[in-house]
């Protein structure tokens, strides 16, 4: 197997690039070259059979979005602090064990979410949200707060104490779900941001998105869960009602929204659709 390696040494893991290359070699994956995010191109298929994304959610999302609707496959070696995507896929979070599991890979397909604004689509892997999460991470959070889970929990809890609800017009596959909410999220993965599990039943390979609309009455329960997690760094959110849909329209975003691990300033309204099976993914066979 000819591999191209995209490695993020700042993702938080202690594994070195040399160790990754050696482990891949042991399972018969020959790293032909290393690539950077700037030079990741689908044309690599002439020289590689797979792009290995070794890093956190940002690295995984970069590879997945660049390879969307191409024939080039990707593999995931989780090395991040949060690893929302890897957890949603049920992958082993220890890098060497994750590589060992790829000795006999099975090809599957991963869905992406597509934010349909402007002349072209913007893809996401984890999710899109409007409301308190985009407000906090867009206006309040530094990189330091984003990297440390307990600090992010504190920041979100503090902001949510006084965060008001907003009126959102929401349509999910033509169904009207408009109302007053503190958060409206469209999830492809189970969790978003600092391991906020908003849609625990979400799957990245079912051709559907999960819509989560959180009412102001649920604020107190969320804040209490975040306060407990400040010390434990293990967040257990309440189970929210979710709606499975292929297309969602949201009007009433306000200034900030949140797309995967980045805050976004978006024009209102937005259309979101599932890009079913957009990415070819090599999964460890024992994962199935």
């Amino acid at each position: 197997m000819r591999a191209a390696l995209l490695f993020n040494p700042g993702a938080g893991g202690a594994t070195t690039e040399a160790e990754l290359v050696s482990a891949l070699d042991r399972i018969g994956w020959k790293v032909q070259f290393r690539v950077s995010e700037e030079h990741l191109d689908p044309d690599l298929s002439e020289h590689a059979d797979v792009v290995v994304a070794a890093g956190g959610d940002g690295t995984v999302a970069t590879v997945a979005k660049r390879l969307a609707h191409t024939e080039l496959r990707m593999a995931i070696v989780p090395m991040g602090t949060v690893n929302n995507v890897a957890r949603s896929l049920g992958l082993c979070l220890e890098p060497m064990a994750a590589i060992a599991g790829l000795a006999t890979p099975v090809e599957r397909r991963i869905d992406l979410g597509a934010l349909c604004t402007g002349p072209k689509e913007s893809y996401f892997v984890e999710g899109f949200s409007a409301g308190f999460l985009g407000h906090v991470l867009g206006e309040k959070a530094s990189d330091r707060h984003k990297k440390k889970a307990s600090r992010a929990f504190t920041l979100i809890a503090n902001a949510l104490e006084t965060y008001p609800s907003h009126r959102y017009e929401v349509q999910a596959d033509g169904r009207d779900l408009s109302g007053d909410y503190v958060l409206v999220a469209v999830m492809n993965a189970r969790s978003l941001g600092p391991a906020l599990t908003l849609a625990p039943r979400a799957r990245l390979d079912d051709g559907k998105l999960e819509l989560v609309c959180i009412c102001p009455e649920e604020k107190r329960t969320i804040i209490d869960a975040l306060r407990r997690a400040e010390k434990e760094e293990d967040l257990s959110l309440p189970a929210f009602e979710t709606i499975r849909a292929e297309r969602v329209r949201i009007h009433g975003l306000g200034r900030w929204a949140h797309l995967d691990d980045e805050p976004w300033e978006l024009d209102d309204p937005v259309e979101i659709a599932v890009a079913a099976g957009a990415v070819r993914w090599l999964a460890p066979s024992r994962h199935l």
Side-chain angles (χ1 to χ4, degrees):
M1 184 84 72
R2 300 174 303 162
L5 175 63
L6 177 54
F7 169 56
N8 179 8
T15 306
T16 66
E17 182 176 313
E19 290 171 326
L20 290 173
V21 172
S22 179
L24 289 166
D25 186 72
R26 287 195 294 272
I27 65 168
W29 290 32
K30 306 298 181 182
V31 176
Q32 305 294 311
F33 46 86
R34 285 75 163 169
V35 292
S36 65
E37 293 185 4
E38 293 77 17
H39 296 95
L40 180 60
D41 192 296
D43 290 340
L44 292 173
S45 58
E46 297 181 9
H47 311 287
D49 303 305
V50 59
V51 176
V52 179
D57 289 314
T59 301
V60 172
T62 294
V63 174
K65 290 185 283 188
R66 293 283 180 85
L67 300 187
H69 303 298
T70 74
E71 293 306 304
L72 190 54
R73 299 171 292 182
M74 73 175 294
I76 299 171
V77 179
M79 298 183 63
T81 304
V82 179
N83 298 308
N84 285 324
V85 178
R87 292 178 188 275
S88 294
L89 291 170
L91 298 180
C92 175
L93 301 184
E94 199 286 310
M96 295 296 103
I99 292 174
L102 291 169
T104 54
V106 176
E107 183 173 322
R108 297 178 64 184
R109 292 273 182 169
I110 295 177
D111 304 332
L112 296 178
L115 190 66
C116 309
T117 59
K120 67 176 184 178
E121 296 177 327
S122 297
Y123 292 118
F124 62 84
V125 183
E126 299 169 58
F128 166 90
S129 76
F132 71 82
L133 189 57
H135 166 74
V136 171
L137 297 181
E139 294 190 334
K140 307 290 186 182
S142 65
D143 286 339
R144 177 173 59 89
H145 282 100
K146 293 176 185 177
K147 295 288 185 183
K148 183 69 173 174
S150 60
R151 291 173 182 157
F153 296 154
T154 300
L155 196 68
I156 295 170
N158 290 345
L160 192 52
E161 291 278 6
T162 57
Y163 187 82
S165 62
H166 295 275
R167 179 72 182 179
Y168 293 95
E169 296 177 14
V170 183
Q171 302 283 332
D173 288 344
R175 178 181 174 185
D176 188 1
L177 297 166
S178 303
D180 294 330
Y181 303 115
V182 294
L183 182 77
V184 176
V186 181
M187 302 294 295
N188 187 41
R190 297 173 186 170
S191 51
L192 182 65
L196 300 180
T197 303
L198 300 174
R201 295 180 295 177
R203 295 184 49 154
L204 284 90
D205 61 355
D206 63 354
K208 297 286 186 179
L209 299 169
E210 299 273 339
L211 172 66
V212 185
C213 299
I214 300 180
C215 300
E217 293 79 16
E218 297 174 289
K219 271 178 54 172
R220 189 73 256 162
T221 304
I222 299 171
I223 292 169
D224 291 345
L226 290 165
R227 296 295 186 206
R228 288 193 298 270
E230 288 171 359
K231 296 181 179 179
E232 301 170 5
E233 295 197 18
D234 184 16
L235 178 62
S236 178
L237 289 174
F240 304 113
E241 180 182 358
T242 62
I243 304 295
R244 300 178 78 240
E246 296 180 13
R247 183 172 290 271
V248 178
R249 185 180 189 275
I250 307 172
H251 180 69
L253 293 176
R255 180 181 178 189
W256 288 101
H258 191 254
L259 191 72
D260 278 350
D261 62 349
E262 294 294 334
W264 271 51
E265 290 186 273
L266 292 175
D267 293 331
D268 189 22
V270 297
E271 298 274 353
I272 300 170
V274 62
V279 181
R280 299 176 69 185
W281 169 51
L282 291 183
S285 56
R286 65 169 174 255
H287 159 78
L288 302 178

